[in-house]
Amino acid sequence: MARLLGIHGRDDVSIPKHSRVHNTRPAGIALKEKEKRLKTQRSVKPVNLDIFIPSVVSVGNLARLLNVRLDNLRRKMVNAGMQAEAAYDHMLTAEYASLLAMEYGRNPVVNDEAAFDIYPPPPHPDQSTLPARPPVVTIMGHVDHGKTTLLDTLRSTSVAKGEAGGITQHIGAFSVPVPAGSGGGSASDRTITFLDTPGHAAFSAMRARGAGVTDIIVLVVAADDGIMPQTREVIELIKKDNTSVVVAINKMDKPGADVSKVETALLAESVQLEAFGGDIPSVPVSGLTGQGLDQLVETISLLAEMQDLRAEREGKIQGYVLESRVQKGLGPVATVLLLRGCLKPGDHLICGLSHAKVRVLSDSNGKAVKVAYPGMAVTVSGWKELPKAGDEALKGTEAEVKKALANRIRKAEMEATLGDMEAINEQRRLERELREKEASEEQKGAQVDAAPAEKQPEGPKELRLIIKGDVSGSVEAVAGALEGIGNNVARVKIIATGVGDVTESDVMRAKAVDGTVVAFSVNVPRPVQAEAASQQVPLLSSTIIYRLMDDVKSRVIALLPPIVEKRVTGEASVLQMFDIHLPGRKILKVAGCRVTNGVVEKNKLARVIRDGETLHEGRLETLKHHKKDIMETGKGTECGMGFERYDDLRAGDMIQMYQEVEKPGSL
């Protein structure tokens, strides 16, 4: 045993004594060490997320696994001396991928089965050999600048008449044939896919997820209205995304149309038009008469030809969900914009945490489509659950989709659980610190006041909303618009969102959280309305988003504390003080005053002002005129005044009569 311990038979080995009673360290040092140890115990380390990594993975797919932007990962690889391996399609071994995952605070676990997922096909090595695809053009602009009417004229239909208030509430996607000779391309070039967006909330969300959906943006500006808030929003989006732009100056048929004024205003917003030597074309058009539409289509075709847009028409697909809804007879359906590949009925799709076996493909007019190619927007039915707007749609075999879906669901549940764990750990840490603080105060002999310790800082008041809408894109747009209403005193909190009619379970959920149900372009059945009335749950129903925003804003304003204004109704100056002897040897001090402004009323509030400072606020106890009690007196009259529980009046003081008026708060 001694040999194992490395003593080698020496007799001079002394065993150190550990005293449990005697402590030679000063009390101050011991206390500091104890505090340091407690502080170390209190520090909560963030929970690292386990991430499953396959044996071989490309740089692009690793970025998706880590849920980080590809540019971010490539920068980190360059900083780590991996410039040669930083290409999108470079294949990394599990060792290198694990090291990079650890850089992002993940716990890498090499497991091919658990790491399996479906990814977009890698970019084609030679894009010039691929067939051309139609450009995807998004129409953007301010409300009521004629976007939908412009598209109606392009496809010779009437959509705007059927929309609530003439406002686009959904993302419409459809193809418009280009007349022969425009752009001079092949047959596929003679089609343009247009997206008609609502208030851009859903579309901006897609851009934020890195979905390069749009090839060209058409910014519609009314010639008689100029630059408006949503126009500036689109301009900011263009600057950030560096997308090709065509400016359509609409409503040229109106008498007040002024093209030069609009062009100058756009120049002031840093939009470099060709008219001023820039590279952004502008086309004067009229959605009502059709003036200039041929030139607009030709300009879009030329821009698309310059971009040389090409994509595979065979193989696995890559697309994005523009919006989804529940359709009677078909169940959950989604509008999918294809960017690559070929989609047919019977194909298996995965989109976020949803999957589908394609039953029916239909175009914007509801006609069945046998096959969908890149650049087309089709309605896909056969989803097991409703996919989210902006999610990426990918194709695989049935077994691959099932395996990938199981891994995605497990990963989402794991992330949610770890997020809850961090919140629970933080809460327990705060409770532990509070108990330790109370214990230390008790040891010092201090009297602990439990009430202030339990009192939590009061946060802002919340208007809790449960939102139901007709399609997922609209629900996302409504939630984004309503969530921004409020300030640090009162605000909106979205409890839940969903697609479909309002149900009794929505009402009961709102009752549980003391919330309000918002129904946007969906039906509220009579039994549900009766249930909401009996449970005293407010229901907000509208088909126009701006009216809905106004209703919610008024309810948030009602949560704000009222603004109290003091309105002066009369003024009197104190001339002399008098003593009035009352029974029981009591003396009442009365100020002899002259009314200088307005009317002095006994039932109003009064304040005493001396040298510009308010000394007292209260009510009048006495108001007399020639020994006669009166209720009010006007300007120029003399009277006697006395306050309740205040007698420090002096000659020269001013007495102001005022009333408090409550006004609703403002955001």
Side-chain angles (χ1 to χ4, degrees):
M1 185 69 179
R3 198 163 50 248
L4 286 171
L5 294 172
I7 298 175
H8 301 293
R10 290 174 56 187
D11 297 329
D12 57 346
V13 176
S14 61
I15 299 173
K17 295 181 180 180
H18 300 280
S19 174
R20 298 181 61 179
V21 180
H22 303 290
N23 191 355
T24 57
R25 291 178 298 176
I29 297 174
L31 186 61
K32 286 181 180 177
E33 289 185 1
K34 185 179 179 182
E35 288 178 356
K36 186 177 180 182
R37 189 166 64 252
L38 286 171
K39 189 175 180 182
T40 306
Q41 290 173 358
R42 286 197 299 265
S43 62
V44 180
K45 294 181 179 179
V47 184
N48 286 342
L49 178 66
D50 283 347
I51 184 167
F52 294 99
I53 292 177
S55 304
V56 178
V57 61
S58 69
V59 173
N61 290 348
L62 180 61
R64 287 170 174 270
L65 278 173
L66 297 172
N67 198 20
V68 298
R69 294 185 68 87
L70 177 61
D71 294 341
N72 190 328
L73 177 62
R74 293 175 71 175
R75 275 197 302 271
K76 195 170 281 285
M77 292 177 69
V78 170
N79 294 338
M82 299 174 66
Q83 294 94 332
E85 294 87 358
Y88 170 86
D89 54 353
H90 185 84
M91 303 304 292
L92 298 171
T93 61
E95 288 78 11
Y96 280 115
S98 299
L99 290 172
L100 290 168
M102 290 166 69
E103 286 289 321
Y104 285 96
R106 310 290 206 280
N107 292 330
V109 179
V110 180
N111 186 329
D112 285 306
E113 190 72 18
F116 178 81
D117 203 348
I118 297 176
Y119 301 104
H124 195 276
D126 189 3
Q127 293 280 339
S128 60
T129 61
L130 297 175
R133 69 165 174 84
V136 178
V137 180
T138 304
I139 306 291
M140 288 187 169
H142 193 71
V143 171
D144 199 31
H145 275 201
K147 302 184 296 295
T148 306
T149 308
L150 193 69
L151 289 173
D152 286 345
T153 311
L154 278 171
R155 60 176 182 166
S156 302
T157 61
S158 184
V159 174
K161 290 179 184 176
E163 289 182 339
I167 300 171
T168 300
Q169 308 283 355
H170 310 127
I171 295 180
F174 46 83
S175 295
V176 174
V178 179
S182 296
S186 62
S188 63
D189 290 330
R190 298 196 189 107
T191 306
I192 298 175
T193 300
F194 281 98
L195 303 183
D196 182 17
T197 61
H200 317 306
F203 193 81
S204 299
M206 282 193 287
R207 298 294 300 190
R209 294 184 189 105
V213 173
T214 303
D215 302 314
I216 300 166
I217 290 177
V218 175
L219 174 57
V220 178
V221 186
D224 62 338
D225 208 4
I227 306 297
M228 299 299 282
Q230 260 179 292
T231 316
R232 291 190 180 90
E233 180 189 332
V234 179
I235 291 170
E236 290 300 317
L237 191 67
I238 292 165
K239 290 177 184 175
K240 185 170 67 176
D241 293 331
N242 196 22
T243 312
S244 298
V245 188
V246 177
V247 175
I249 303 173
N250 198 15
K251 301 192 179 182
M252 289 301 298
D253 55 292
K254 285 203 168 184
D258 190 347
V259 176
S260 59
K261 184 179 177 182
V262 173
E263 289 178 341
T264 307
L266 286 168
L267 185 64
E269 297 290 336
S270 303
V271 178
Q272 306 295 330
L273 297 177
E274 289 180 347
F276 298 103
D279 56 352
I280 297 176
S282 63
V283 183
V285 296
S286 170
L288 205 61
T289 64
Q291 171 194 342
L293 292 189
D294 292 343
Q295 188 183 350
L296 177 64
V297 170
E298 188 174 347
T299 305
I300 292 170
S301 298
L302 288 171
L303 271 178
E305 191 176 350
M306 288 168 63
Q307 291 184 10
D308 193 24
L309 302 169
R310 297 178 180 276
E312 302 93 328
R313 291 171 65 88
E314 299 295 335
K316 293 189 175 182
I317 72 150
Q318 180 186 10
Y320 289 92
V321 173
L322 298 178
E323 64 180 21
S324 57
R325 65 188 184 278
V326 179
Q327 187 171 325
K328 196 172 182 180
L330 288 176
V333 297
T335 304
V336 178
L337 175 67
L338 254 68
L339 297 182
R340 301 167 66 190
C342 167
L343 182 62
K344 301 174 184 175
D347 288 343
H348 290 271
L349 298 180
I350 185 169
C351 179
L353 300 179
S354 305
H355 69 292
K357 182 181 180 182
V358 180
R359 287 168 55 195
V360 180
L361 295 175
S362 55
D363 60 12
S364 57
N365 296 319
K367 294 180 181 178
V369 177
K370 291 184 178 180
V371 60
Y373 291 113
M376 292 178 65
V378 289
T379 302
V380 179
S381 67
W383 298 93
K384 307 302 178 188
E385 292 178 0
L386 210 60
K388 292 182 181 178
D391 280 354
E392 188 178 40
L394 300 168
K395 185 168 78 171
T397 64
E398 185 177 3
E400 288 174 345
V401 167
K402 285 183 178 179
K403 192 193 296 186
L405 187 68
N407 288 342
R408 289 187 183 189
I409 292 172
R410 188 198 66 250
K411 185 179 177 183
E413 289 174 349
M414 190 186 300
E415 288 176 353
T417 303
L418 291 179
D420 293 342
M421 281 176 58
E422 289 183 6
I424 292 168
N425 289 342
E426 182 66 18
Q427 181 64 28
R428 289 179 178 173
R429 183 183 69 81
L430 293 173
E431 292 173 358
R432 193 163 56 245
E433 285 181 351
L434 185 61
R435 287 197 301 269
E436 290 169 0
K437 185 180 178 183
E438 290 176 353
S440 63
E441 287 178 356
E442 284 178 357
Q443 287 175 0
K444 291 175 185 175
Q447 191 172 3
V448 180
D449 187 5
E454 291 176 4
K455 189 176 179 182
Q456 297 292 334
E458 192 175 347
K461 293 182 179 179
E462 292 177 340
L463 178 66
R464 300 179 180 91
L465 301 180
I466 292 172
I467 300 173
K468 295 299 287 287
D470 53 347
V471 298
S472 60
S474 296
V475 171
E476 186 180 18
V478 170
L482 298 184
E483 209 165 14
I485 297 173
N487 54 21
N488 58 346
V489 180
R491 66 185 181 188
V492 170
K493 183 177 182 181
I494 308 296
I495 300 297
T497 60
V499 176
D501 290 347
V502 179
T503 61
E504 290 189 11
S505 63
D506 297 322
V507 173
M508 298 312 295
R509 180 184 283 188
K511 174 73 174 175
V513 297
D514 193 21
T516 301
V517 177
V518 175
F520 179 70
S521 296
V522 291
N523 184 35
V524 183
R526 285 189 179 276
V528 176
Q529 291 180 16
E531 181 71 17
S534 66
Q535 296 291 340
Q536 296 182 338
V537 172
L539 272 172
L540 290 179
S541 181
S542 180
T543 55
I544 300 176
I545 191 170
Y546 298 99
R547 289 180 188 167
L548 203 60
M549 290 173 68
D550 290 341
D551 289 344
V552 171
K553 190 174 181 180
S554 63
R555 288 173 182 263
V556 173
I557 288 173
L559 296 176
L560 295 171
I563 299 169
V564 179
E565 287 186 352
K566 294 180 179 180
R567 294 180 181 175
V568 177
T569 59
E571 290 181 341
S573 58
V574 178
L575 303 177
Q576 189 178 350
M577 296 299 298
F578 299 95
D579 291 341
I580 297 178
H581 296 274
L582 300 175
R585 295 184 178 182
K586 291 182 179 179
I587 298 174
L588 175 65
K589 288 187 176 292
V590 176
C593 307
R594 180 181 284 115
V595 180
T596 57
N597 280 311
V599 179
V600 172
E601 298 173 85
K602 188 178 179 181
N603 59 356
K604 294 284 176 67
L605 293 167
R607 58 188 174 194
V608 180
I609 297 174
R610 183 182 301 158
D611 299 329
E613 291 185 9
T614 302
L615 302 180
H616 174 73
E617 291 186 356
R619 291 189 177 274
L620 291 179
E621 185 179 24
T622 306
L623 181 61
K624 291 179 177 289
H625 181 64
H626 296 307
K627 296 185 179 181
K628 182 182 176 183
D629 288 329
I630 57 175
M631 291 304 294
E632 63 177 49
T633 182
K635 180 180 178 181
T637 59
E638 293 184 352
C639 59
M641 294 188 197
F643 281 86
E644 297 175 354
R645 296 185 296 278
Y646 183 77
D647 56 5
D648 187 24
L649 287 167
R650 300 177 190 174
D653 289 349
M654 179 184 287
I655 298 175
Q656 280 187 347
M657 310 303 297
Y658 66 92
Q659 62 180 7
E660 291 183 343
V661 180
E662 286 192 357
K663 294 177 66 178
S666 60
L667 293 173

